[in-house]
Amino acid sequence: MQGAPRLPAPAPSASPELEARLCAVESRLAALGHALRSRDAAGIDLHASELHRALASAVSHFSDAARSGPLPPALRTRLAQASGQVAAQRESLARATAALDRAIDVLLPRDGAMLYSAYGSADRGVFKSGVIRA
């Protein structure tokens, strides 16, 4: 038995649930950006965790909504902008990490003599061939 032709689902209007998830991501991004600019380590940690949770929730809800039809263009645009902000913050953190690594290499060179052996004290030839010399 053949029914009426199936019509494509209409484009969903901006769902309050999707809007709320996206607003949460945007506010967490703004808070993390502020913490990064102010170099607030505790704030960075807190807001990064909150952003991670907000992103996971948003991705889940947006994926479910996308299965039932196309997302509203305004929400897609805002989601793309949020994605760009996440990428920019990730790049900023990567540059800061690289700069910190270079500073640490200057202060604590890796090529120099080892200060400690695998045994935890200065290695002055005490252990050779497993024999302790007095």
Side-chain angles (χ1 to χ4, degrees), residues 92 94-110:
S92 176
R95 283 193 304 269
T97 300
L100 180 61
D101 287 345
R102 287 190 301 272
I104 289 172
D105 284 343
V106 167
L107 295 172
L108 302 170
R110 297 175 196 194

Side-chain angles (χ1 to χ4, degrees), residues 22 25-26 29 51 55 75-89:
L22 188 53
V25 169
E26 291 168 337
L29 273 169
L51 176 59
L55 282 169
L75 284 181
R76 280 187 304 186
T77 300
R78 287 174 54 203
L79 189 60
Q81 289 171 341
S83 176
Q85 286 179 322
V86 168
Q89 286 181 352

Side-chain angles (χ1 to χ4, degrees), residues 61-80:
H61 281 79
F62 272 82
S63 295
D64 292 344
R67 282 189 210 104
S68 64
L71 295 173
L75 284 181
R76 280 187 304 186
T77 300
R78 287 174 54 203
L79 189 60

